């Protein structure tokens, strides 16, 4: 029995962790968004892959909510002293991932191979696969003009009004081989779309030609979990952005976004009464994941609804 | 009144600091060895330049003797976890220098320009100038074959027996413009060859075509300070290497090495009775520099003997 999860960073990684813990070792493949990747200080930074790596390795910082636990910040202090760019905070331990990834990519390895190697080094049982080995860059059209994703997200703290999104390079990108293999696996029991931002984290993955088709072609049920609970996002700019894009900020809007792709849509209990329209089987569960138990409980629920009891 | 110092890392930087402290701001230019530079983890590391930067900025670690004070090592721990190369220890704060230098070089800046910018950011009054903007790499012929300098020095801890030295790229290198300008300055009052390893730290500088000639062409006195005291090196492999190269490990051998280039040779009081032969004016002083006072006292002595009282 195999499971594929489609995930962005923080929110998605929570459910990915739940799945990782309840599934047998080796059963889970997480296809990660790389639209947030960027070059910073000449380093290749892959924020969503790293969040997944750290979360599944138990190295994530539970208090800060991003990056590594037991982190130090001496590099940033020294960089500030040297007048370097400090708007994107890189922890000292986190930096090792970026330096090692950049070195391996520079030596000719693919992002898939580098990610697999990092996962192996961190002792992960699950596979983490970038959506593509080619660069796809999420760009945000705002009232201040087009911004690179991290400039919008971190540097400008999601303050500009969003007018539209583009996934630069997506048309020319190919899905990572391991992503296609996981989706074509005859043992595939479920495709889980994690509660990540549908527009910023999941859409870049679906924009890689062939990935959406591969999900649709799979006979496994596709089950999506709403990142919107009671009209609020657990974290991040999802709801603010939905409003700016003229969308009703509700789980029903997310459901509509996944119609045609997902078979089952998981709403939070808060939204139990919400009409999500036809064409999607509805499921209701507590979806707020604070503890590891929350995560494994939701993972079990999702797998059960997909018809597979782990 | 201007002064040029010729320096490698730790030992030379001590006297450079003394000169920096006793001379008026802007009077000192240190021409630094870059033969120890290397690419590591895809970063451009310039150990001698950095030792000079940190020492003159008061950021050096007085206990460890290299790198930055108040350093942390989270990067190295995380890199080890990821299976990266950890034989060359990079502190978290030190890493900022390498990342920023690599970024600026990648953007097309010369090593001279990058070094000047780093010095400016650290508030240095003196100029630090690499011997060349072109790569010159010290290679060590040993009983284990030819080794890159850092592999000999750090990875193999100077254990292999040295048979010879080569400065790869030196023939094609040009002196850094600022080095030539400093040596041609009509206000130049002294050229100080700091107590660095003559073979590993000073020779690479002299191997850059035009630099030795520019020193000789200067009308300022050239005064060299012995790094060997009573047949011992204060630090590093100088004496071990001299023995392996068939040289008598004494300050007299160093004096002979600088004959024709230096006008004055400073011996430690321990070596007051040593015969250094003809053609070099001898000077005797306490040359062991433990405290800042030791460093400024030796700097004043050197400048006085060069005929210039600061």
């Amino acid at each position: 029995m195999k499971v594929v999860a489609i995930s962005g960073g923080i929110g998605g990684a929570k459910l990915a962790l739940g799945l990782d813990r309840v599934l047998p070792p080796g059963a889970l493949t997480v296809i990660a968004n790389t639209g947030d990747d960027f070059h910073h200080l000449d380093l290749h930074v892959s924020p969503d892959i790293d969040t997944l790596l750290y979360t599944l390795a138990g190295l994530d910082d539970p208090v800060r909510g991003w990056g590594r636990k037991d982190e130090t910040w001496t590099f940033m202090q020294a960089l500030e002293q040297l007048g370097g760019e400090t708007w994107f905070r890189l922890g000292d331990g986190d930096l090792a991932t970026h330096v090692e990834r950049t070195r391996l990519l520079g030596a000719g390895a693919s992002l898939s191979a580098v990610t697999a190697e990092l996962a192996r080094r961190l002792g992960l049982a699950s596979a983490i696969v970038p959506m593509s080995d080619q660069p796809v860059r999420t760009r945000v059209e705002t009232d201040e003009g087009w911004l690179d994703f991290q400039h919008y997200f971190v540097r400008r703290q999601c303050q500009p009004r969003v007018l539209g999104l583009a996934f630069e390079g997506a048309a020319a990108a190919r899905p990572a081989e391991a992503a296609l293999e996981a989706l074509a696996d005859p043992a595939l029991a479920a495709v889980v779309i994690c509660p990540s931002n549908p527009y910023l984290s999941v859409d870049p993955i679906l924009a890689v030609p062939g990935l959406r088709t591969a999900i649709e072609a799979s006979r496994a049920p596709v089950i999506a979990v709403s990142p919107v609970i009671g009209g609020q996002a657990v974290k991040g700019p999802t709801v603010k952005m939905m409003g700016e894009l003229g969308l009703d900020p509700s789980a029903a809007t997310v459901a509509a976004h996944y119609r045609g792709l997902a078979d089952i849509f998981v709403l939070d209990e808060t939204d139990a009464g919400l009409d999500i329209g036809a064409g999607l089987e509805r499921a209701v569960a507590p979806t707020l994941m604070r503890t590891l138990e929350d995560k494994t409980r939701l993972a079990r629920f999702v797998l059960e609804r997909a018809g597979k009891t782990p």
Side-chain angles (χ1 to χ4, degrees), chain A:
Chain A
M1 169 186 172
K2 295 291 177 69
V3 171
V4 165
I6 309 287
S7 179
I10 316 290
K14 289 182 183 177
L15 184 53
L17 176 62
L19 292 165
D20 176 82
R21 290 298 185 269
V22 303
L23 285 164
L28 177 66
T29 296
V30 185
I31 301 176
N33 171 40
T34 58
D36 300 4
D37 286 22
F38 76 133
H39 279 86
H40 186 58
L41 307 175
D42 277 6
L43 299 170
H44 184 111
V45 182
S46 296
D48 287 357
I49 286 176
D50 291 346
T51 296
L52 286 160
L53 284 171
Y54 298 155
T55 302
L56 268 53
L59 293 173
D60 57 309
D61 187 295
V63 179
R64 202 186 320 113
W66 57 271
R68 290 172 60 112
K69 68 181 176 186
D70 303 325
E71 189 60 288
T72 59
W73 303 92
T74 310
F75 171 81
M76 288 310 288
Q77 289 162 20
L79 190 65
E80 186 163 16
Q81 192 179 32
L82 294 177
E85 283 193 67
T86 54
W87 59 270
F88 194 90
R89 294 182 70 207
L90 295 168
D92 298 330
D94 187 33
L95 204 51
T97 308
H98 311 314
V99 167
E100 192 62 1
R101 169 184 292 122
T102 305
R103 188 185 71 76
L104 292 166
L105 289 173
S110 68
L111 185 58
S112 294
V114 173
T115 307
E117 174 63 11
L118 294 173
R120 190 183 71 79
R121 289 287 186 174
L122 295 177
L124 265 54
S126 300
I128 298 176
V129 178
M131 63 197 201
S132 176
D133 286 330
Q134 283 83 48
V136 178
R137 296 295 170 260
T138 299
R139 300 206 4 112
V140 186
E141 189 183 11
T142 73
D143 53 2
E144 300 178 1
W146 281 96
L147 298 176
D148 288 339
F149 177 75
Q150 298 296 351
H151 284 246
Y152 163 75
F153 192 69
V154 176
R155 193 169 205 168
R156 296 287 295 116
Q157 300 278 306
C158 306
Q159 284 166 12
R161 184 181 171 81
V162 175
L163 308 173
L165 294 165
F167 308 117
E168 212 170 81
R174 297 183 304 280
E177 200 51 48
L180 291 180
E181 281 170 15
L183 288 167
D185 194 319
L188 185 65
V191 176
V192 180
I193 301 178
C194 291
S196 294
N197 185 314
Y199 314 100
L200 287 177
S201 299
V202 178
D203 276 1
I205 300 175
L206 301 177
V208 177
L211 264 185
R212 189 184 182 105
T213 320
I215 296 170
E216 288 168 350
S218 155
R219 260 176 290 179
V222 178
I223 181 161
V225 177
S226 178
V228 177
I229 299 177
Q232 299 295 323
V234 177
K235 196 175 185 303
T238 311
V239 159
K240 173 177 183 284
M241 178 180 292
M242 289 174 83
E244 291 165 356
L245 291 171
L247 301 167
D248 178 33
S250 108
T253 307
V254 179
H257 188 73
Y258 289 139
R259 186 163 293 123
L261 178 69
D263 303 298
I264 306 165
F265 190 77
V266 181
L267 291 161
D268 187 70
E269 291 175 329
T270 311
D271 293 318
L274 211 63
D275 178 14
I276 60 163
L280 260 177
E281 188 182 321
R282 42 184 290 144
V284 176
T287 62
L288 196 60
M289 293 173 280
R290 273 179 289 227
T291 65
L292 180 59
E293 203 195 341
D294 293 341
K295 293 163 198 165
T296 54
R297 197 194 308 114
L298 183 56
R300 280 202 191 85
F301 176 84
V302 160
L303 294 172
E304 277 164 18
R305 284 307 302 251
K308 298 288 161 184
T309 308

